[in-house]
Structure formats: structure tokens, C-alpha cells
Amino acid sequence: MEIQLWRSILCPYELAVKELIVKFEHIITEHKLNDLYSPIEQVSGRVKSVSSILEKMQRKHIPMERMEEEVEDIAGVRIICQFEEDIETVASIIQNRSDMTIKSEKNYLKHIKQSGYRSYHLIIYYTVDTIDGPKKLQAEIQIRTMAMNFWATIEHSLQYKYKGDMPVHVAERLSKAADAIISLDKEMASVRNEIMDAQNSSQMQSNLVRDILLNIENLYKLSNKREVTKIQDEFLRVFKTKDLKQLERFHRQLDIIAEGYRAQAVSNDL
Ligand code: 0O2
């Protein structure tokens, strides 16, 4: 048999995982920048270990030359959402992207695995550019809530510990815990709007403060220093009130002042 150059084989998959993480993290950033609730809470990824690839190939009788086609999760990305509803949103974001093509899906939310495992999996085609040119490869994207992830992480460790021979009493406890996770996700869904409102307000406040301070800094360079000190004092007073409406009003007024100075600076430059 031909020698397998694992490092070269896995190199494009390393790149794919890195790129996919950057792209999904950027989706979080874009939502935050636009004061929008992000359906993605967290992203992580990994390239499957050689031992895990070999184990899967043995278990599924996959010949070496079919590895890249049939081991679909050599590149794996995990997307964690806060709420079950967000999973669908993330799936449609992926569906609408031009750089990812969905090959197949496994919906373990509708069809819960016997173990109690719940998650939504997509296999996508994704192209990376390597020194040998473009390479189209497959990647698995697992989308699940924080609660589902908590359960799956613990269960995965126990599976590893017992190597497919889990004692009945442990499996029963895990099954009960899986039911508790379903209830927890349902409970959280019922307060989703309140939680989202709170998170949006906090993000909005943080963006407003960032913009206000940037404006104050710019004004400091252009206008009367004593005036700017007064504006800063006023900002601190408004900030202490913890009233988002007042902060928004202050932001608007400051924008008008800053706009005036920018116009003046431009006409002076001419
Ligand atoms: P890793 O890299 O350790 O996560 P399979 O035949 O079940 O091995 P298949 O048919 O390729 O895998 O796809 P499936 O069922 O969608 O499973 C792919 C991955 O989903 C698994 O990867 C796990 O990460 C996760 N998964 C599936 N079922 C379970 C489960 O019952 N419990 C937990 N904790 N995770 C599960 P691998 O292959 O285990 O590798």
C-alpha cells in the first residue's frame, strides 16, 4: 500500500477549519456591530485525529482511497447557540452563503439518537486555496444549544471512558439528564424574548458608549478643550443614570456638534 502522508493530507482541512471559524465569528461581530442579536454564541473547530479517522474507517470498512469522500467529518466545526430556535436561523444563514454548499443534513433534534444525543449536523462542501490550487473538501458543522453541548460533552467523555460498554446505571442517568436538557431548552425558549431584550440593550449601550467616546476624542483634537471637558462631564452624568434613552439622546446631540466641527474643519482646509 502507498504510504499515507498524513500531514499533507490534513493540511487543507486545517486551513478549512481556521477559515470557517473566522467566517462564523465574523457573523457574530456583524450582528453586534449592528446592534442585532447574534444567533451564534460561540464557534470552535478541530481536525479529526489520525487515530480517530483510522478507527472510523475500520468501523465503516472504508478503504484508504475512499477516505476523503467517505469520512465526512475530517474537518469539524461546532456552532453553539443560546436557544433552540437559533439553530434553524444558523442553518439558513449557511444555506444562503455562496462559499458553502450543503451536501446533507442530519437532524438529531427531530430524531433524537438512542443515547439521548441532540444536535443538528450539516455536511458542507467548502473550497480552500492551497499552493497546489483550489481544493474542494467536506466539513461537518454541528449546530446545537449550550445545554445540548453540555450534555454531549459529558456523554462523549463517558463513552470514551467505557469504550462502548457503558454500565446500565450510567446510561440511565444520562438518559434522565437528556430529558432535563430538553426541559431546560424549552424553559429558556419561553423567556427568550426577555433575555434577547436584555442582551440587545447591553450591546446597544456598549456601542453607544464606544461611539460617544470616539466623538469626544475627535472633538478634543478639533475644538475648545474646556468645552470638551464639559461634554465629557455631561456624558459621565448621563452614563450614571443607566438610562438608555438619555444615552441615545446625548449621542444624537453630540453627533450634531461633531458634525458641525467636521464641516468647519473641512471649510478651513479649503
Ligand atoms: P469526534 O471527532 O470524536 O466527535 P458515527 O457513525 O456515529 O461515528 P457518522 O455517521 O459519521 O458518525 O455521523 P454522526 O452520527 O452525525 O456523528 C458525527 C459526530 O456527531 C460524532 O463524531 C460526534 O461528535 C457526534 N455524535 C454523534 N452521536 C453522538 C452521541 O451519541 N453522543 C455524542 N456525545 N456525540 C455524538 P465522532 O465520529 O464521534 O468523532
Side-chain angles (χ1 to χ4, degrees), residues 93-187:
I93 289 177
I94 295 171
Q95 199 167 15
N96 290 325
R97 288 189 70 102
S98 58
D99 53 351
M100 301 171 199
T101 310
I102 296 175
K103 175 192 178 192
S104 61
E105 59 141 41
K106 280 188 188 163
N107 191 339
Y108 297 127
L109 304 170
K110 272 198 190 139
H111 311 285
I112 304 176
K113 274 201 161 181
Q114 178 134 35
S115 58
Y117 179 72
R118 287 192 309 141
S119 188
Y120 184 82
H121 295 186
L122 287 173
I123 304 296
I124 59 156
Y125 289 115
Y126 182 76
T127 303
V128 286
D129 279 307
T130 73
I131 50 170
D132 299 319
K135 180 177 168 67
K136 184 176 171 184
L137 44 77
Q138 307 186 73
E140 181 187 70
I141 303 180
Q142 302 183 341
I143 316 169
R144 49 171 90 143
T145 63
M146 291 174 179
M148 291 172 198
N149 191 48
F150 174 48
W151 184 93
T153 307
I154 303 290
E155 198 260 2
H156 197 271
S157 315
L158 288 172
Q159 261 185 32
Y160 185 77
K161 177 176 173 184
Y162 293 114
K163 300 198 171 44
D165 201 14
M166 199 181 289
V168 177
H169 73 278
V170 178
E172 275 171 6
R173 288 217 173 145
L174 279 171
S175 169
K176 277 193 189 146
D179 291 342
I181 294 292
I182 295 178
S183 310
L184 176 61
D185 272 331
K186 275 198 187 129
E187 283 296 321

